[in-house]
Amino acid sequence: MHAIEKIFARHSGRTSVKTGEIVTAKVDFAEINDLYLQTVYSFYEMGGEKVWDPTRCAFVFDHYAPAPDAKSAANQQAMREFARKNGLQYHFDTNCGVCHQVMPEAGVIYPGMIVVATDSHTTTHGAFGAVGTGCGATDMAAILLSGEMWFRVPEIVEIRLEGEAPRGVYPKDVILSVLGKIRADGAVYKAIDFTGSYVENLSVAGRMVICNMAVEMGAKTAYMQPNQAVLEYVEKRAVRPYTVETTDPGYCYAEQYVFDVSRLEPQLACPSSVENVHPLPEVTAGEKIRLDQGYLGSCTGGREEDIAVAAQILRGRHIAPYTRLVVVPASAEVMERCLEKGYIQDLMRAGATVTAPGCGACLGVHQGILASGEVCVSSTNRNFPGRMGAVDAQIYLASPATVAASLLNGYLTDPREYC
């Protein structure tokens, strides 16, 4: 069996499972973000009184952090009351950050677990050797009641990433390149196992970037065999004992793809689709694509190493006139570390606006949304029309280095001359 199948088998009390089977599996941790007050309503409509285990579920207020209007404030108020009534051990309020960042920091994410959240980018946690997936409000209410959820065991696709990335090429470039080839519907309800020498040597943050965007290919979940960096991270934080599953030798994948990252150039996902990916030099050849805003943040591009590379590029420099750079750290812990190391100060001196940790303008409601006709280069994970504000705004997805280099000049810029 594959490691993912072993996780499903263990959590469903079986010795084995196979592709296509429906299993009912125990959930190790459930998370509800502040978009999903309906979960609370559905919980009560199902006759719920108390959650199945107050140590295994949490609310994270990240999409509207801090609340930008009375409606979102009221939703958060109702969720706080539910959390208080149920005595939830973990509660991540508007001071904490993005769910996919704060949960690993709190030690509730670890190898061999099943984590379900009301957010499609829960595939992020495959970076830790966990099975992470998203669900809707009704399914989440059922989890809060029972601690279980049904799953269809997915087909498993291997994406093998080999080689060493060249200077100026980052994990975001790698996953954009993969996405451009496999396309947005290339892995619908499949699990993606990222393997290869590139993955084995990746940092925790880099792994999270790649697993995060697996869902942009339609994946139900993503997975990476934990490396030493992951094991050291988890050992310091994990609140429960954990099991590191391994894939049996000779396992037969449903599909296999191999990518050589050593020849990659910086990549861009161009408006207005995540699969509209091209090498940056190809996009900018012969013309300067001018920018109104750069955005550095989200569950894909707001971690310490993302902010560090932007600070390195912009230190002692200033962003172009009549542009703006919005920086949103992924968590309070990330912001604190970046303050200690001077990265935030470097970016502020360069003209950046730094906002509270959270999702920010990634979902187009506050903290840097775009006006009609504006052009933005962003380290986020989606560039659909209206994603960050006006429907006719244009969003290019890129690495944090490309965001920083581009705002320095005011137009899309290859970061390699600054890295």
Side-chain angles (χ1 to χ4, degrees):
M1 288 192 295
H2 190 277
I4 292 172
E5 295 170 332
K6 292 180 180 180
I7 293 171
F8 278 125
R10 179 161 48 84
H11 284 74
S12 58
R14 301 173 58 168
T15 56
S16 65
V17 299
K18 59 184 179 181
T19 299
E21 285 188 298
I22 305 295
V23 299
T24 299
K26 294 186 181 301
V27 172
D28 291 295
F29 202 83
E31 180 267 322
I32 309 99
N33 67 39
D34 49 350
L35 290 172
Y36 282 85
L37 180 59
Q38 180 60 46
T39 299
V40 174
Y41 297 153
S42 296
F43 179 84
Y44 288 131
E45 288 165 2
M46 293 176 183
E49 295 181 2
K50 290 287 186 178
V51 300
W52 99 99
D53 187 338
T55 71
R56 291 182 179 271
C57 51
F59 288 96
V60 181
F61 298 165
D62 55 0
H63 285 67
Y64 300 96
D69 52 48
K71 177 64 174 175
S72 55
N75 289 351
Q76 291 174 355
Q77 181 185 47
M79 290 176 172
R80 284 190 196 96
E81 181 55 36
F82 183 90
R84 188 181 297 114
K85 180 179 178 180
N86 282 275
L88 300 190
Q89 180 176 338
Y90 300 99
H91 176 68
F92 303 96
D93 217 296
T94 58
N95 62 318
C96 292
V98 182
C99 59
H100 309 304
Q101 182 68 19
V102 300
M103 288 195 294
E105 289 174 351
V108 299
I109 304 296
Y110 42 82
M113 74 179 297
I114 294 179
V115 54
V116 182
T118 56
D119 192 292
S120 60
H121 290 106
T122 309
T123 56
T124 302
H125 304 299
F128 298 92
V131 169
T133 193
C135 75
T138 306
D139 281 336
M140 180 54 70
I143 293 171
L144 295 183
L145 279 165
S146 67
E148 298 179 338
M149 184 177 174
W150 71 270
F151 299 89
R152 176 184 174 274
V153 180
E155 297 174 274
I156 302 175
V157 177
E158 182 187 28
I159 295 180
R160 185 148 49 92
L161 305 174
E162 297 287 2
E164 183 175 341
R167 177 181 58 84
V169 173
Y170 297 87
K172 181 65 170 292
D173 298 301
V174 172
I175 191 59
L176 285 178
S177 175
V178 170
L179 180 53
K181 293 177 175 63
I182 294 182
R183 317 297 286 180
D185 61 353
V188 173
Y189 212 104
K190 298 174 184 177
I192 297 178
D193 182 11
F194 293 100
T195 67
S197 59
Y198 178 75
V199 173
E200 291 166 6
N201 294 311
L202 262 183
S203 67
V204 172
R207 288 171 151 244
M208 293 173 77
V209 170
I210 288 176
C211 287
N212 177 285
M213 294 195 69
V215 76
E216 307 306 335
M217 293 176 269
K220 182 66 175 176
T221 193
Y223 187 82
M224 290 179 175
Q225 188 66 33
N227 64 1
Q228 191 60 36
V230 166
L231 294 175
E232 289 176 2
Y233 183 98
V234 172
E235 189 62 32
K236 293 176 183 176
R237 298 174 185 254
V239 298
R240 300 182 189 276
Y242 56 87
T243 301
V244 180
E245 299 287 8
T246 57
T247 300
D248 292 334
Y251 176 80
C252 185
Y253 290 93
E255 300 169 54
Q256 292 177 288
Y257 302 89
V258 180
F259 295 87
D260 179 4
V261 306
S262 64
R263 298 183 181 183
L264 270 186
E265 296 181 291
Q267 304 285 303
L268 289 171
C270 301
S272 294
S273 170
V274 289
E275 68 178 24
N276 186 19
V277 177
H278 304 276
L280 187 153
E282 177 184 302
V283 176
T284 58
E287 68 170 319
K288 291 182 177 180
I289 299 175
R290 300 205 169 272
L291 301 166
D292 298 289
Q293 178 169 293
Y295 191 87
L296 184 64
S298 91
C299 55
T300 316
R303 299 185 176 88
E304 181 182 348
E305 63 185 48
D306 304 320
I307 295 172
V309 71
Q312 178 252 313
I313 290 170
L314 290 171
R315 185 176 297 120
R317 301 182 171 108
H318 202 280
I319 63 173
Y322 303 106
T323 65
R324 56 198 187 270
L325 173 60
V326 180
V327 178
V328 188
S331 72
E333 181 178 311
V334 169
M335 177 176 269
E336 186 174 357
R337 289 200 305 265
C338 290
L339 281 166
E340 289 172 353
K341 295 179 180 179
Y343 303 149
I344 297 294
Q345 296 90 323
D346 288 331
L347 292 171
M348 291 179 69
R349 293 185 192 108
T353 301
V354 181
T355 76
C359 298
C362 182
L363 70 158
V365 294
H366 66 152
Q367 293 182 324
I369 61 176
L370 300 173
S372 177
E374 288 194 316
V375 181
C376 177
V377 60
S378 176
S379 68
T380 56
N381 45 33
R382 287 179 177 159
N383 62 346
F384 311 133
R387 175 69 181 182
M388 294 181 71
V391 174
D392 64 342
Q394 294 188 315
I395 305 165
Y396 292 84
L397 303 181
S399 74
T402 297
V403 172
S406 298
L407 265 291
L408 179 62
N409 293 319
Y411 51 85
L412 288 175
T413 299
D414 193 318
R416 287 177 289 188
E417 59 184 286
Y418 300 102
C419 296

